[in-house]
Amino acid sequence: MPERFSKLDDEIVEELRDVVGPDLKPLEPTDGVQRFLNRKQDDVTSNTIAEYQKKLSRFESFCERRDIDDLRELDRRSVDEYVSWLRHESSDEVEELSPKTMRDELYLIRQLLGYLERIDAVEPGLSEVVQIPDLSDTEGVRDVDVDPERVQTILEYLERYQYASLEHVVWLVSARVGRRLGGYVALDLCDAHLEGRDPYLEFRHRPPTRLKNGENGEEQVAIATEVADVLRDYIDDIRPEVTDDNGREPLLATRYGRISTTTFRKYIYKWSRPCMIHGDCPHDKALDDCEAAQSVNQAAKCPSSRSPHALRHGYISEARRRGVPLEVLTDRVDVTPEVIQEVYDESTPEERREVRRDILEEYTSDKGRGYL
């Protein structure tokens, strides 16, 4: 065959490949992860391999949830969905992975996808979808609790100047109930039982609105009468008469329908900026020149602003400091006792000793009667 025809055939093959796509080979997600780990064994320590395996189990879990049993099914949209799922839904310990954790996780998943591209398991360029975020000087630091006194100051301010507004309600339930953000967003009007002496909110798993732990996270959560009073006034005077895309009446609503998680977070970031309450900046910034102070959408950039999870973390930590029993707290906040002790319980040995003393004194007021 003349050389010119051979070159022509090669060009046709290349054009067809561009149109049809690469000749990908079938590979299950677990097999792809294992191949990647095997290839990495010569480059990193066994401890690092174990850490990689732990992190990539989240990727395997995502594929299982999305019924992806062949890596050829991964596309740019599903990778983007994975990044969102990783941040907000992948962990039972926190509401949202920290920027530093996300950065570390995304570095690894981009390495994995790059390797899968090289062995023709996923489409070329898929790893480019994964954007690695830059960390500011204040990120990567643990998202600590919001001090109880600071929370009380914000709630008092909102009660005085924003009473029964949606923003007031968002802060009130976040500070006084202890549930996850997604649970508040999922609440319908019928889930607010506000009459009588024992008001409560009923958290239910009803896709497309979901609870983190599905039906296992369903619970009737008691609320204080003063919280119920604010919710009742919000419903009567402020809440717009709207339904969501599924014809349900959301409890927390804007004029467009059910509140979004983005809007919910925005309200928490907004009012946790010190300048909103006190009018000055503890970071010595001029408010007119501060992007976080000038724009609600940039409020998260304030070093003192906090996420909804910080309020949840603070609620659980404070409950433990006050001696709320684990078996009571775990059902209320939908977290296992083990996770509460490992992640949320920041009480000191001295605080725990005093709590035990107070509890024991309740049950041992009569002296000299047997063991107690």
Side-chain angles (χ1 to χ4, degrees):
M1 179 184 295
E3 183 178 352
R4 65 178 183 275
F5 290 117
S6 178
K7 289 183 178 180
L8 182 60
D9 288 343
D10 290 340
E11 292 174 0
I12 293 174
V13 169
E14 288 299 322
E15 289 181 6
L16 287 173
R17 182 172 295 170
D18 292 338
V19 174
V20 177
D23 182 20
L24 301 181
K25 307 297 191 298
L27 188 64
E28 293 183 2
T30 53
D31 292 339
V33 169
Q34 192 57 56
R35 282 171 174 256
F36 172 73
L37 294 174
N38 292 341
R39 178 57 61 92
K40 280 288 186 180
Q41 284 180 343
D42 294 334
D43 302 324
V44 297
T45 67
S46 58
N47 287 339
T48 300
I49 289 293
E51 185 64 24
Y52 284 176
Q53 193 162 27
K54 180 181 177 181
K55 290 181 177 180
L56 292 176
S57 66
R58 291 174 172 171
F59 173 74
E60 295 175 273
S61 177
F62 172 83
C63 290
E64 183 178 354
R65 287 167 179 262
R66 295 298 195 278
D67 295 323
I68 297 173
D69 51 17
D70 186 336
L71 288 169
R72 292 179 298 179
E73 299 172 33
L74 280 179
D75 58 17
R76 292 172 181 267
R77 178 171 294 184
S78 58
V79 171
D80 183 67
E81 290 173 353
Y82 171 72
V83 172
S84 178
W85 176 85
L86 180 67
R87 181 185 297 277
H88 300 298
E89 301 180 56
S90 64
S91 174
D92 291 331
E93 298 179 0
V94 296
E95 191 71 34
E96 178 179 341
L97 296 187
S98 70
K100 184 179 185 304
T101 300
M102 278 297 295
R103 191 168 187 264
D104 294 343
E105 295 273 355
L106 294 180
Y107 265 127
L108 183 59
I109 199 65
R110 191 161 74 175
Q111 287 185 54
L112 171 66
L113 292 176
Y115 168 76
L116 295 174
E117 289 174 19
R118 292 193 294 275
I119 64 172
D120 293 330
V122 299
E123 64 179 75
L126 196 59
S127 60
E128 297 172 4
V129 178
V130 182
Q131 299 296 313
I132 308 300
D134 294 326
L135 296 182
S136 68
D137 292 338
T138 59
E139 289 177 322
V141 179
R142 186 178 183 184
D143 193 16
V144 296
D145 302 351
V146 185
D147 182 79
E149 292 185 7
R150 184 178 169 199
V151 172
Q152 186 60 29
T153 298
I154 295 171
L155 290 176
E156 289 175 354
Y157 185 94
L158 291 172
E159 183 171 10
R160 182 174 182 180
Y161 297 106
Q162 299 276 335
Y163 179 78
S165 66
L166 180 58
E167 297 181 33
H168 183 200
V169 169
V170 162
W171 262 86
L172 195 61
V173 296
S174 296
R176 297 287 169 80
V177 179
R179 278 268 167 159
R180 296 181 178 88
L181 182 160
Y184 302 131
V185 171
L187 288 169
D188 285 349
L189 202 55
C190 62
D191 298 324
H193 304 270
L194 307 176
E195 305 302 327
R197 293 185 300 175
D198 300 305
Y200 64 93
L201 297 175
E202 188 170 5
F203 290 87
R204 294 190 283 175
H205 181 69
R206 291 166 297 199
T209 59
R210 300 173 178 272
L211 300 182
K212 176 87 169 185
N213 293 321
E215 293 181 358
N216 292 331
E218 295 186 338
E219 192 62 69
Q220 295 179 0
V221 176
I223 57 176
T225 53
E226 56 265 29
V227 175
D229 290 342
V230 174
L231 283 171
R232 194 182 303 112
D233 290 339
Y234 158 74
I235 292 170
D236 291 342
D237 302 329
I238 303 297
R239 180 191 173 276
E241 296 292 331
V242 295
T243 58
D244 66 9
D245 294 338
N246 300 287
R248 289 162 48 190
E249 296 181 292
L251 175 62
L252 304 183
T254 71
R255 59 195 177 109
Y256 303 107
R258 188 178 301 275
I259 191 174
S260 67
T261 56
T262 299
T263 298
F264 194 104
R265 287 191 184 90
K266 181 171 69 175
Y267 291 158
I268 301 298
Y269 283 123
K270 172 183 177 180
W271 290 102
S272 59
R273 294 174 299 177
C275 61
M276 288 296 293
I277 306 297
H278 303 293
D280 54 12
C281 177
H283 309 289
D284 297 325
K285 291 187 177 182
L287 299 187
D288 290 342
D289 299 327
C290 177
E291 185 180 11
Q294 292 299 312
S295 171
V296 173
N297 292 328
Q298 301 299 322
K301 293 183 178 181
C302 171
S304 292
S305 67
R306 290 292 181 266
S307 71
H309 178 67
L311 289 176
R312 171 174 158 83
H313 195 292
Y315 177 92
I316 298 174
S317 297
E318 184 66 13
R320 290 299 294 150
R321 289 190 190 98
R322 296 190 181 194
V324 177
L326 279 173
E327 60 271 19
V328 173
L329 192 57
T330 187
D331 288 337
R332 180 179 180 88
V333 301
D334 190 26
V335 179
T336 65
E338 294 77 18
V339 170
I340 289 176
Q341 290 179 310
E342 181 180 349
V343 178
Y344 294 97
D345 193 345
E346 297 184 355
S347 58
T348 65
E350 292 75 20
E351 288 172 331
R352 291 194 292 272
R353 183 192 67 222
E354 290 305 314
V355 164
R356 289 193 297 269
R357 184 198 304 277
D358 292 341
I359 293 174
L360 281 171
E361 286 180 353
E362 277 189 53
Y363 292 96
T364 57
S365 55
D366 297 330
K367 306 298 181 183
R369 301 183 63 177
Y371 289 107
L372 299 179

